[in-house]
Amino acid sequence: MASPSTTSPPPDVLEKLVSLCKRRGFIFQSSEIYGGTGSVWDYGPLGVELKKNIKDRWWNALVRARDDIEGLDAAILMHPRVWEASGHVAGFTDPLVDCRNCKKRFRADDPKIKGTPGTPDGQCPACGMKGTLSQPRLFNLMFKTFMGPVEDSAAVVYLRPETAQGIYVNFLNVQQSTRQRVPFGIAQIGKAFRNEITPGNFIFRTREFEQMEMQFFVDPAPPDQQKTPYRTDMEWFEYWKEQRMQWHRDLGLSESRLMFHQHTPEELAHYARAAFDIQFDFGGTLGFQEIEGVHHRGDFDLGRHQEFSGKKLEYFDQPANRRYVPLVIETSVGADRTTLAVLVNGYREEQVEGEQEGRTVLGLHPGLAPIKVGVFPLVKKDGMPEFAEKLAADLRAKFPVFYDESGAIGRRYRRQDEVGTPFCVTVDGETIKDSTVTVRDRDTLKQERIAADRVGEWVARRI
Ligand code: ATP
């Protein structure tokens, strides 16, 4: 695993990615024609496919491929008491300072602030004035709104700042309806909202984002003879740490850009028994940053919901005739932040031998690429477009395909390289004679001649 001190930082490609993503329809600024909304982004035709492929891989790995994790899709709006129980009403805050001169706001711990806010030497990082920064005050990051027609304090609800609480409050519903036995997990993918004071870095930190969270419930005092491969809570914690790191490797993220960060005693939540972040090196000044948290949350969440709701959230182990509140191992990853990691990891500019013009490539894992195959007729005549269109239609039944007959063939390849399409198929004069086509690999640039009716199987094997 990487050590940030021994590897030179990869280049900062964020600015180039923002422009590529807009130009090619991955990601657009929200409400752009009105000047944009602060740190909210819309996924275009290719971006929605990429993010969906990432979410599908997560869902398949955690829910579909296992018999000990169940899926859930809980609502965004929840009973306001949920957020009192979870600690978010009292504690989900960041310290905020305002500049009286330029009216800008900052997190009090922003490294760009010089001096001490609230004193004459505190200097505003935006307008440069001294003594204009307010004392830090706590700012709750939850978005508030009202349920029903009356806008008073009794009707306040929150947009959820994390998806996990929907899992805790449904713990017994899921367990009893599926008859799962501890240890087991509940997983869900959904939107979360945080009124971040300093969002930014494209889709790295936004105010509306998607999380993929899984809560795994384990026995606090498992009997010695328990037969599951892992027994104690700490064994399960280690298991999930490794599983989740492997999932990121399997997305194609480079080993040298991934590492664990163990929470220091200051970072560790008071109830947490252990916590590691999986970090990815975004390059440039951003460097290594959290993309996923793997946390041992003890019995804090179920315990608090028991206390605040007055309803028991105990698991009944029938064979052993024991009742207990399980411990929770949580894995929590951002779908948008992972999408950014995949884009950053894949972006490269390179020279091609024998060609003047360089190329930009998104070296996406073929399974994640929004388009799997580009299909081109070499020229727009002699039956080539008809053959190619028919081939594209046949392939489209299996994967997303892009048919392109405009411009020089080299340019068509470049356009697909830039959006990460792993394979391109070209129909030429020979195709018309013997029904063979050339298939080109995005990364090696190697071309092979194969029978047109074998293309589907050839591509399927590689994705
Ligand atoms: P950070 O320290 O970066 O604010 P966090 O520790 O608050 O993150 P968690 O509450 O553990 O984050 O959320 C789990 C995951 O959700 C993060 O690892 C990240 O991938 C994602 N996430 C959290 N906040 C945001 C955000 N504002 N925008 C995009 N993704 C986010």
Side-chain angles (χ1 to χ4, degrees):
M1 213 135 296
S3 146
S5 56
T6 56
T7 49
S8 56
D12 191 347
V13 297
L14 269 195
E15 223 172 283
K16 287 175 171 167
L17 267 178
V18 174
S19 126
L20 186 154
C21 283
K22 175 169 182 198
R23 192 158 33 84
R24 299 306 310 274
F26 279 90
I27 299 166
F28 310 121
Q29 166 94 71
S30 159
S31 321
E32 195 183 359
I33 59 168
Y34 288 97
T37 317
S39 288
V40 188
W41 299 86
D42 298 340
Y43 287 76
L46 296 185
V48 68
E49 288 287 338
L50 174 61
K51 184 155 82 148
K52 185 173 184 307
N53 290 338
I54 291 172
K55 290 189 287 183
D56 285 350
R57 279 175 86 89
W58 187 88
W59 192 259
N60 285 335
L62 275 92
V63 180
R64 296 233 165 118
R66 305 182 61 113
D67 62 1
D68 61 351
I69 300 185
E70 302 289 344
L72 179 73
D73 182 12
I76 289 172
L77 300 176
M78 301 181 75
H79 195 287
R81 290 275 284 168
V82 166
W83 306 109
E84 288 172 35
S86 69
H88 283 81
V89 170
F92 194 53
T93 52
D94 274 343
L96 168 87
V97 297
D98 302 273
C99 174
R100 274 191 298 280
N101 179 49
C102 70
K103 314 287 180 225
K104 291 249 165 62
R105 293 176 154 187
F106 311 91
R107 272 173 69 142
D109 54 5
D110 189 325
K112 293 194 294 296
I113 294 178
K114 295 204 182 83
T116 311
T119 69
D121 76 336
Q123 188 179 9
C124 172
C127 70
M129 287 274 272
K130 270 191 167 179
T132 53
L133 291 179
S134 67
Q135 288 276 1
R137 60 195 163 86
L138 290 178
F139 171 77
N140 196 296
L141 302 185
M142 281 197 294
F143 280 95
K144 259 188 207 170
T145 185
F146 301 96
M147 179 97 89
V150 188
E151 296 196 3
D152 67 14
S153 57
V156 165
V157 288
Y158 302 95
L159 300 188
R160 66 180 175 199
E162 61 175 34
T163 60
Q165 302 303 324
I167 293 181
Y168 300 132
V169 300
N170 279 298
F171 163 66
L172 280 186
N173 284 337
V174 173
Q175 188 272 319
Q176 288 168 356
S177 58
T178 60
R179 298 193 298 145
Q180 280 283 2
R181 300 188 53 191
V182 169
F184 79 98
I186 305 176
Q188 77 167 329
I189 299 177
K191 289 261 174 151
F193 303 82
R194 295 182 187 179
N195 202 359
E196 301 272 6
I197 300 170
T198 45
N201 290 311
F202 196 23
I203 52 169
F204 177 80
R205 189 183 302 285
T206 53
R207 293 193 167 111
E208 172 177 343
F209 56 98
E210 262 183 299
Q211 288 187 313
M212 307 187 281
E213 295 197 300
M214 192 279 295
Q215 314 292 320
F216 200 77
F217 302 94
V218 299
D219 188 338
D224 290 342
Q225 70 277 21
Q226 187 168 304
K227 286 195 194 66
T228 51
Y230 302 88
R231 203 176 63 84
T232 65
D233 51 327
M234 283 318 291
E235 283 169 8
W236 278 112
F237 180 75
E238 287 302 320
Y239 167 83
W240 280 114
K241 248 179 75 189
E242 288 310 320
Q243 287 284 310
R244 296 305 306 144
M245 181 58 96
Q246 189 56 42
W247 184 83
H248 289 283
R249 291 188 194 110
D250 292 344
L251 291 182
L253 298 183
S254 315
E255 185 72 34
S256 63
R257 298 183 84 142
L258 286 167
M259 69 170 196
F260 281 117
H261 162 75
Q262 179 170 16
H263 282 208
T264 61
E266 295 76 50
E267 288 173 294
L268 203 61
H270 67 91
Y271 50 80
R273 303 197 183 175
F276 279 80
D277 293 337
I278 295 175
Q279 295 190 333
F280 173 79
D281 188 353
F282 286 89
T285 48
L286 205 51
F288 275 90
Q289 297 288 341
E290 169 183 343
I291 50 176
E292 170 152 6
V294 182
H295 303 154
H296 185 327
R297 302 181 59 99
D299 61 3
F300 176 77
D301 306 279
L302 292 180
R304 292 275 289 194
H305 284 303
Q306 274 199 152
E307 187 188 328
F308 278 67
S309 68
K311 303 270 164 33
K312 285 258 176 274
L313 289 177
E314 287 174 340
Y315 170 74
F316 178 49
D317 180 350
Q318 216 158 12
N321 197 25
R322 277 172 63 219
R323 279 180 198 282
Y324 59 85
V325 175
L327 304 176
V328 169
I329 312 294
E330 168 185 74
T331 72
S332 172
V333 56
D336 310 86
R337 214 175 268 186
T338 306
T339 302
L340 183 62
V342 162
L343 286 167
V344 165
N345 186 78
Y347 184 92
R348 61 178 198 266
E349 291 169 5
E350 61 189 22
Q351 288 303 318
V352 180
E353 227 184 271
E355 285 187 28
Q356 292 273 299
E357 217 183 313
R359 65 170 189 159
T360 299
V361 185
L362 271 188
L364 304 177
H365 182 299
L368 297 182
I371 301 168
K372 308 297 182 205
V373 199
V375 178
F376 318 139
L378 185 62
V379 288
K380 268 196 269 185
K381 57 180 188 186
D382 302 335
M384 291 179 217
E386 293 75 11
F387 194 105
E389 265 179 280
K390 162 99 180 43
L391 178 60
D394 291 348
L395 293 173
R396 208 166 278 131
K398 298 198 184 91
F399 1 78
V401 170
F402 187 77
Y403 174 80
D404 190 1
E405 57 177 30
S406 62
I409 192 78
R411 266 203 69 207
R412 284 181 260 166
Y413 283 141
R414 299 286 171 272
R415 285 177 57 79
Q416 291 309 305
D417 291 343
E418 195 184 45
V419 297
T421 306
F423 310 109
C424 290
V425 179
T426 304
V427 167
D428 55 21
E430 238 170 283
T431 310
I432 306 305
K433 289 185 225 143
D434 64 4
S435 291
T436 62
V437 292
T438 56
V439 284
R440 168 195 181 264
D441 181 295
R442 173 195 71 203
D443 297 323
T444 62
L445 294 172
K446 281 213 184 92
Q447 303 208 9
E448 262 182 67
R449 203 145 190 112
I450 64 172
D453 60 6
R454 277 194 47 226
V455 174
E457 168 217 330
W458 190 94
V459 173
R461 239 186 301 129
R462 286 161 177 81
I463 60 174

